[in-house]
Amino acid sequence: MIYCASEPISPFSQVDITFPHQIEIRVNLDEVKANLRGLKGKPGSTRPADITPLLRKRPGYDNTLNVTYALTNKKFYIIVNLVKQHTAEALVAKLKAGRSISKDQVIREMITRSQDGDIVTTSSIMSLKCPLSTLRIDTPCRSTICTHNQCFDALSFLQLQEQAPTWTCPVCNKVVSFQALQVDQYVNEILISTPRYADQVIVETDGRWSAVAQKDILNGPNKTRSTSEEDDDIIEIQEPRLAALKDEALLTPSSMGKTPPYSSREQSLSLAAPRSSSGKRSIGQVIDLTFSSDEEEQPPRGPKRQSTSNGLSSSQTSSRATMARSLPRPNGFNISLPRLELAKPPEPLDCGFGDL
């Protein structure tokens, strides 16, 4: 493993792993492909570079390491360490075998906080899910510097640090270390005493706890509806006129393909038009889907036109005789056309073919 840090460095102090932004590492002329920057905006999340696959482990063979960096005025310190890697499962077993936070210690801290006059404490809901994996906690773990009772799963936390070593508590965001992690026996007893489907419990100020019932979860504060929402529900009210409209909508098999008369449709629309004067929704509105705009009542026709001797109707003759109309314009002015007087239509010509 290659570790790198920049100034200032004081003796016997912990520093974050930091590589230059422009750096190239080669081992035996092979470039090291590793993420040397970590997470953006989170110093200390850079992992050391693993060069084990590029080494030639042969007796009497020298391995060469070339490091090139530029565009910086800082002084960096690089060191190569021979380390032994531990899996996350092995570290969890080490936590279980080490020191733990006892149940009596947790209850004593809860009673001390409840007796503080400046802080009013009440019962709280503790989640049994890990904030990292959102799954039920298997090994409840938290740091000794944390003051909260909420725990996280030890395996999920260590697997996350293996990918991006931020080493911060997922509950309070305090910087923690592996040496400060301990198993909480109070939460561990709750996990053992509750079924697997239980996600949360209610914890009192004196340390007593009780499982949250399933009906309390369904009818919790986030699931209840306000009075205004209940008022918006549609309530069916039986009224005589609505029942008559429903009976009218039911068609017999013989009249399925027929269109109801216009008078009945007009009566249905007139009954369904008035709405409730209250602020609630309308109880029921009957809409006749058989009504079509094409079936609107046409204006009454005038008398049948009578033909004249010259083949023109009387209406056409009168319209041609008096061609004085007013044409509307958008700006409100009218233009009057001059009156034209038509002469008497010419007599039909005799072409001489009458004797044939």
Side-chain angles (χ1 to χ4, degrees), residues 124-151:
S124 59
I125 296 179
M126 178 186 295
S127 176
L128 302 182
K129 288 185 177 182
C130 177
L132 297 174
S133 62
T134 65
L135 300 176
R136 184 180 170 89
I137 299 175
D138 290 332
T139 306
C141 176
R142 63 185 176 94
S143 175
T144 54
I145 63 176
C146 297
T147 58
H148 51 80
N149 295 326
Q150 180 65 48
C151 296

Side-chain angles (χ1 to χ4, degrees), residues 16-310:
D16 296 332
I17 299 177
T18 306
F19 287 90
H21 290 285
Q22 301 293 334
I23 186 173
E24 181 183 70
I25 302 176
R26 291 183 177 272
V27 177
N28 298 326
L29 302 180
D30 295 330
E31 185 178 359
V32 177
K33 303 293 184 180
N35 182 16
L36 303 178
R37 294 189 179 183
L39 299 178
K40 184 178 180 180
K42 292 186 177 180
S45 60
T46 306
R47 296 184 56 193
D50 187 7
I51 60 174
T52 304
L54 302 179
L55 296 177
R56 299 176 183 177
K57 297 175 281 294
R58 298 179 183 177
Y61 189 88
D62 295 335
N63 293 280
T64 59
L65 174 64
N66 298 327
V67 180
T68 305
Y69 65 93
L71 302 179
T72 181
N73 295 326
K74 292 183 179 181
K75 183 182 292 185
F76 289 85
Y77 298 89
I78 297 178
I79 184 173
V80 180
N81 286 334
L82 178 63
V83 299
K84 181 181 180 180
Q85 187 175 5
H86 299 274
T87 61
E89 291 77 5
L91 294 178
V92 171
K94 186 177 180 180
L95 285 176
K96 292 180 178 180
R99 299 181 59 184
S100 61
I101 303 175
S102 62
K103 175 182 176 182
D104 296 336
Q105 178 183 351
V106 175
I107 296 176
R108 186 166 55 251
E109 292 175 355
M110 296 174 62
I111 295 176
T112 302
R113 288 195 297 267
S114 63
Q115 293 176 353
D116 190 355
D118 298 335
I119 302 175
V120 178
T121 58
T122 58
S123 59
S124 59
I125 296 179
M126 178 186 295
S127 176
L128 302 182
K129 288 185 177 182
C130 177
L132 297 174
S133 62
T134 65
L135 300 176
R136 184 180 170 89
I137 299 175
D138 290 332
T139 306
C141 176
R142 63 185 176 94
S143 175
T144 54
I145 63 176
C146 297
T147 58
H148 51 80
N149 295 326
Q150 180 65 48
C151 296
F152 50 86
D153 187 63
L155 181 60
S156 301
F157 179 77
L158 294 175
Q159 288 177 347
L160 179 62
Q161 305 313 311
E162 186 179 3
Q163 299 176 3
T166 56
W167 290 103
T168 56
C169 176
V171 180
C172 61
N173 294 327
K174 290 184 179 180
V175 179
V176 299
S177 61
F178 178 76
Q179 291 76 14
L181 297 179
Q182 293 183 5
V183 178
D184 194 325
Q185 297 297 336
Y186 174 78
V187 180
N188 190 34
E189 180 180 346
I190 295 177
L191 292 171
I192 296 174
S193 304
T194 54
R196 295 290 299 178
Y197 60 83
D199 295 336
Q200 53 189 5
V201 294
I202 300 177
V203 180
E204 304 294 339
T205 56
D206 56 355
R208 294 181 293 106
W209 62 272
S210 59
V212 179
Q214 190 70 16
K215 62 179 181 179
D216 295 338
I217 298 176
L218 297 177
N219 300 327
N222 296 331
K223 299 296 183 180
T224 57
R225 297 186 302 174
S226 61
T227 307
S228 60
E229 293 178 353
E230 293 179 355
D231 292 341
D232 292 341
D233 293 343
I234 299 176
I235 304 174
E236 183 178 0
I237 301 177
Q238 299 293 338
E239 292 187 4
R241 63 168 187 172
L242 295 180
L245 294 177
K246 292 181 179 179
D247 296 339
E248 182 183 350
L250 297 176
L251 301 177
T252 57
S254 60
S255 61
M256 287 295 290
K258 298 181 180 180
T259 304
Y262 180 78
S263 59
S264 62
R265 294 197 302 267
E266 185 178 3
Q267 182 182 1
S268 301
L269 292 176
S270 62
L271 292 176
R275 301 182 59 184
S276 176
S277 60
S278 61
K280 301 181 181 180
R281 296 180 183 175
S282 178
I283 301 172
Q285 297 181 358
V286 178
I287 300 176
D288 193 352
L289 300 180
T290 61
F291 180 75
S292 176
S293 60
D294 298 337
E295 299 179 1
E296 295 179 355
E297 185 177 359
Q298 300 295 334
R301 291 187 176 184
K304 189 175 181 181
R305 298 176 182 178
Q306 299 177 359
S307 59
T308 56
S309 59
N310 54 359

